[in-house]
Amino acid sequence: MTGVRFGELPQLSVGNPVTSCAFSTDGKFLVTGLENGSIKVYSTTTWEKIQISKEDNATVQGVVFSPDGSMIVSGSKDGTVGIWYKDPQVNPPTYENIYTSTDHTGAVNCVAYSPHGDQVASAISDETIRLWTPSTGDCRVLSGHQGGVLCVAYSPEGDQIVSGSTDFTVRLWNVEKGECIYTFYDHVDEVWSIAFSPEGDQIASASNDKTIRLWDMGSRECSHILEGHTNKVNDVVYSQKGDQIFSGSNDGTVRVWDVAGDQSGTCRRRMIGHGREINCIAYSSKNGQIASGGADGKVRLWDVSVGGSGHIPSGHSQKISDVKCSPKGNLIASCSLDQTIRLWDVKTGTCLRILSGHQDAVSCIAFSPQGNQIASGSLDKTVRLWNVETRTCQHTLTGHTSEVFSIAYTPKGDQVASVSHDKTVRLWNATTGAPQGTLEHDTADVTNVAFSPDGNRIATEDIRGNIMIWDVKARALVHTLPYQSDYARAVVFSPQGDQLASASNDWTVRLWDLATGDYRWELTGHVNVVQSVAYSHNGKLLASGSRDKTVLVWDVKTGQHRAKIQNLQRGVLCVAWIPSTDDAYYLVTGCEDGVVLKWRIAEEEGQLHDTLCWIATRGSLIATDALKGSGLNSDNERLLKQRIGEGEPGNPTRKASTMPSITGSEMPSNRPVIRSSERMMKR
């Protein structure tokens, strides 16, 4: 059991591509069919596995529980259908094969139980559908498709069947008469999955043409075409109320769609977790869970109620512009182009509150040293001061005549500094919000600001790459560091105050010696713009986040690259370290796609290892086994467990890659300046 979604419930590694899956009606069991011919059943309360003894190794392409849960029907690529009976007197339960049909003349692609449990339908590659009675073995054949039948489903009343085929059509059948009563023609490729809505008034069909089509049973017309998947859609299921459907695709995503009301046809959420194709989807109405089976050999479990009506969506809906951790290490604040600030519980990743008020993108945030206040800057040209305890806005500070891009507190917390593209640094009283002075930046628009640990100096950075050191009391410029090679993105003092780190558009990070005014290290390794840098609280490590979708962790003393967090979905726009009482380091990152991630960085055998703790996306939050024993609340314990897949952001407990260190002797004193535009032309 590894990986959790808000709480301590498992994701399943079954060791072979999962080709089919289904929940029992009561939601207590999950059955999976595998490519190697195995059938595995899991208890959804204990997640203990029951292995069904199946003699052949033919891929199991369909599995389904009987409505009363006493039997499982399986269909395989070798044309066999098996019935497996659960003995209620045996604990733990076992399943015994009581019937195997070998009458099919083609692969069995799908099986379905009638709602009353008296009939089973199987979709066959020989262009037929077989209807047979488990109690007697009697079988009827439905013919009409001009290609292999890939999927079949019963209507809620059981009087109709719908099927999809390689002939690109969807057919509706009368069960009693065995006749096709209508054919739907709009798909332009093979139809791989089909489902009736719970009310029976709608059909959803999923196709190799990358679409899902909704068919109105009254008009027999296609009412909506759902587009968004970038590859074949393998499976589709309805929610209990029928207002949403869930789909799985070869593009590796699970999508949630609204299929009722004014928002019908809207993709509500896109869930990532599998490293490869998603072959099957199952939904349990009893516990609001989705199971997705993938070619990566994993079954991932999702709680579809998260982010739904009455819930706070977990992640930002647009790019994250900044992320900070509270001094006590219990809260994370993130801000976004979606005009909001979100507060997160560090341990669980729960979104505690959304702070709204800015009229444009929120570009920067900072916690006061006491942790009782947050300052935010926005493209609406204002600074806002927020009370952390009440989660309300205390003051809205006006004075800047252009966008605010960076903000910082003095170490005492009595003042806030903000910088803007109006070429000014403005100082504000953190208690009253009153203005307390302005520093004029004559050269260019100002993009970043940071206070020294003793509060006596301010470092600012402008769009030309100039880094300026100011005396706070004298309100005067005292030093200018050598011209950076390109647009500066971030600047921060070391905890000891003897060093300054800066990030740049030229893909580098520079560490400056403030005693001499020269840079000590130029750290290279990123292959795109470096957006953010942050020192660990002991000053030993430096993290840098880049648009190249990586985070690099550096040894400040040696300039050596110690760890690399990679394979993220989008560029990393901000990084921040979380105060910790154990031997490990904790890091939070914010990405272009609105995702917030918490990482554990720990040293083992001389190497740094990165482990994903949790990831918050819009509408879902995923946490990994790094949370075990961290005191999740009862609300979180009910939610499902799942881990990010191979090649995804949360590939847990992997060894960080290493790169050669950069030493002072290796770095030329007259290193040529290469601008990003020149670098791109060369590439």
Side-chain angles (χ1 to χ4, degrees):
M1 298 182 183
T2 57
V4 296
R5 177 185 175 83
F6 269 174
E8 292 296 312
L9 297 173
Q11 67 103 51
L12 309 172
S13 295
V14 297
N16 199 259
V18 184
T19 48
S20 52
C21 61
F23 280 104
S24 59
T25 305
D26 58 11
K28 293 182 179 180
F29 293 93
L30 174 70
V31 60
T32 61
L34 307 185
E35 187 178 83
N36 66 1
S38 299
I39 301 173
K40 297 181 181 181
V41 184
Y42 297 88
S43 164
T44 59
T45 54
T46 65
W47 294 105
E48 293 180 354
K49 179 179 68 176
I50 305 166
Q51 181 83 36
I52 291 180
S53 178
K54 184 169 171 286
E55 295 181 357
D56 61 80
N57 58 2
T59 298
V60 181
Q61 303 193 131
V63 287
V64 64
F65 279 96
S66 62
D68 63 4
S70 64
M71 290 186 286
I72 293 172
V73 173
S74 64
S76 299
K77 197 171 184 178
D78 63 357
T80 62
V81 171
I83 301 180
W84 313 84
Y85 175 71
K86 181 178 67 174
D87 188 342
Q89 305 301 320
V90 177
N91 191 21
T94 59
Y95 287 83
E96 178 186 357
N97 180 252
I98 60 173
Y99 179 80
T100 298
S101 168
T102 58
D103 295 338
H104 300 90
T105 57
V108 181
N109 297 312
C110 179
V111 289
Y113 241 110
S114 68
H116 307 296
D118 58 346
Q119 192 178 72
V120 172
S122 54
I124 316 300
S125 291
D126 64 4
E127 305 181 0
T128 68
I129 300 165
R130 305 283 178 114
L131 304 182
W132 46 287
T133 305
S135 59
T136 64
D138 293 340
C139 180
R140 287 189 293 151
V141 180
L142 308 185
S143 301
H145 278 294
Q146 302 303 306
V149 185
L150 299 174
C151 50
V152 64
Y154 279 92
S155 65
E157 297 299 323
D159 59 336
Q160 292 180 331
I161 282 176
V162 65
S163 58
S165 168
T166 60
D167 64 10
F168 305 176
T169 69
V170 173
R171 288 181 178 253
L172 184 65
W173 307 80
N174 181 293
V175 171
E176 183 178 358
K177 297 180 179 180
E179 297 176 350
C180 177
I181 55 181
Y182 198 79
T183 302
F184 305 88
Y185 287 102
D186 288 3
H187 278 295
V188 295
D189 211 328
E190 299 172 344
V191 180
W192 279 88
S193 181
I194 200 85
F196 266 102
S197 66
E199 297 297 324
D201 58 346
Q202 191 180 72
I203 293 171
S205 57
S207 170
N208 202 40
D209 64 14
K210 308 176 188 177
T211 71
I212 300 162
R213 292 177 186 259
L214 305 182
W215 310 90
D216 185 275
M217 291 299 291
S219 65
R220 306 285 173 83
E221 297 290 336
C222 178
S223 60
H224 292 87
I225 301 175
L226 312 186
E227 297 178 302
H229 282 297
T230 60
N231 209 324
K232 168 187 168 186
V233 187
N234 287 313
D235 209 355
V236 61
V237 294
Y238 276 89
S239 65
Q240 181 182 15
K241 295 180 180 179
D243 57 343
Q244 290 185 323
I245 61 172
F246 316 110
S247 59
S249 167
N250 274 7
D251 65 12
T253 68
V254 175
R255 289 181 181 253
V256 182
W257 309 82
D258 285 341
V259 294
D262 295 338
Q263 299 298 313
S264 185
T266 302
C267 181
R268 185 60 57 192
R269 271 182 282 163
R270 172 177 171 268
M271 298 185 287
I272 302 171
H274 290 277
R276 294 183 58 193
E277 302 89 342
I278 295 175
N279 295 323
C280 53
I281 295 282
Y283 172 71
S284 171
S285 61
K286 293 299 182 181
N287 49 28
Q289 300 174 3
I290 294 175
S292 58
D296 58 359
K298 294 180 174 61
V299 176
R300 304 192 185 279
L301 302 173
W302 315 80
D303 191 305
V304 298
S305 66
V306 179
S309 176
H311 295 266
I312 297 175
S314 294
H316 289 284
S317 61
Q318 296 188 49
K319 292 180 182 179
I320 294 176
S321 47
D322 201 3
V323 62
K324 293 292 192 298
C325 189
S326 65
K328 295 181 180 179
N330 62 323
L331 289 177
I332 290 170
S334 61
C335 63
S336 167
L337 273 62
D338 64 10
Q339 304 182 18
T340 69
I341 301 162
R342 293 174 189 250
L343 300 181
W344 311 83
D345 183 284
V346 165
K347 286 186 177 180
T348 67
T350 305
C351 182
L352 303 174
R353 184 63 63 91
I354 300 174
L355 307 182
S356 301
H358 280 293
Q359 302 303 304
D360 207 333
V362 186
S363 56
C364 51
I365 48 174
F367 274 99
S368 66
Q370 295 77 24
N372 62 341
Q373 190 180 71
I374 290 174
S376 61
S378 169
L379 301 192
D380 66 9
K381 307 175 187 178
T382 70
V383 173
R384 286 180 178 251
L385 303 181
W386 308 82
N387 184 295
V388 172
E389 183 176 355
T390 64
R391 275 85 180 217
T392 58
C393 180
Q394 297 173 301
H395 302 287
T396 300
L397 315 182
T398 59
H400 283 294
T401 59
S402 189
E403 298 92 341
V404 179
F405 278 97
S406 183
I407 202 158
Y409 278 92
T410 62
K412 293 181 181 180
D414 57 338
Q415 285 186 328
V416 174
S418 59
V419 300
S420 166
H421 275 196
D422 62 11
K423 302 181 182 180
T424 67
V425 181
R426 292 181 181 267
L427 301 175
W428 314 87
N429 184 292
T431 302
T432 66
Q436 294 193 319
T438 301
L439 306 178
E440 299 290 341
H441 217 280
D442 296 331
T443 57
D445 297 344
V446 192
T447 56
N448 292 286
V449 64
F451 275 99
S452 63
D454 59 11
N456 295 329
R457 293 167 295 173
I458 289 177
T460 61
E461 203 168 28
D462 64 28
I463 60 173
R464 295 178 180 174
N466 296 307
I467 299 176
M468 299 184 177
I469 310 298
W470 305 78
D471 184 285
V472 175
K473 292 183 179 180
R475 305 286 197 269
L477 177 65
V478 295
H479 195 66
T480 300
L481 299 181
Y483 181 74
Q484 289 252 81
S485 64
D486 212 331
Y487 185 103
R489 291 283 177 174
V491 62
V492 62
F493 279 94
S494 67
Q496 294 76 24
D498 61 338
Q499 199 176 73
L500 195 75
S502 62
S504 174
N505 261 20
D506 68 358
W507 311 352
T508 68
V509 175
R510 286 183 172 84
L511 303 186
W512 303 84
D513 188 321
L514 293 179
T516 64
D518 296 326
Y519 60 82
R520 182 180 179 186
W521 303 113
E522 182 177 85
L523 310 180
T524 61
H526 285 295
V527 294
N528 208 323
V529 173
V530 185
Q531 289 285 146
S532 181
V533 288
Y535 281 96
S536 62
H537 290 82
N538 59 12
K540 294 182 179 180
L541 297 178
L542 182 81
S544 57
S546 168
R547 288 186 182 270
D548 65 7
K549 306 177 186 179
T550 71
V551 177
L552 299 182
V553 179
W554 311 86
D555 187 300
V556 171
K557 185 177 181 180
T558 65
Q560 182 182 10
H561 166 211
R562 296 288 312 281
K564 183 177 185 179
I565 298 171
Q566 57 188 335
N567 294 326
L568 299 175
Q569 295 296 304
R570 298 294 298 276
V572 182
L573 300 183
C574 42
V575 294
W577 294 93
I578 302 171
S580 172
T581 56
D582 60 26
D583 294 335
Y585 296 89
Y586 292 88
L587 185 71
V588 61
T589 59
C591 299
E592 287 182 290
D593 52 5
V595 173
V596 178
L597 307 98
K598 178 188 172 185
W599 306 88
R600 183 178 187 268
I601 310 291
E603 186 165 357
E604 297 176 17
E605 299 178 354
Q607 284 190 311
L608 289 182
H609 299 248
D610 60 272
T611 305
L612 180 67
C613 298
W614 51 255
I615 169 175
T617 66
R618 181 164 179 78
S620 65
L621 188 141
I622 303 154
T624 67
D625 39 347
L627 283 180
K628 290 182 178 177
S630 61
L632 297 172
N633 61 39
S634 58
D635 289 336
N636 289 338
E637 288 177 355
R638 70 178 179 82
L639 298 174
L640 287 173
K641 183 178 192 180
Q642 69 98 17
R643 177 187 291 172
I644 300 301
E646 296 293 326
E648 296 295 336
N651 185 9
T653 57
R654 62 181 184 269
K655 288 188 176 182
S657 57
T658 57
M659 294 177 62
S661 62
I662 303 173
T663 65
S665 60
E666 294 172 314
M667 188 171 62
S669 58
N670 58 346
R671 182 181 183 273
V673 175
I674 302 178
R675 300 188 185 280
S676 294
S677 57
E678 297 173 328
R679 203 185 289 264
M680 292 302 293
M681 289 176 65
K682 290 182 178 181
R683 298 173 76 86

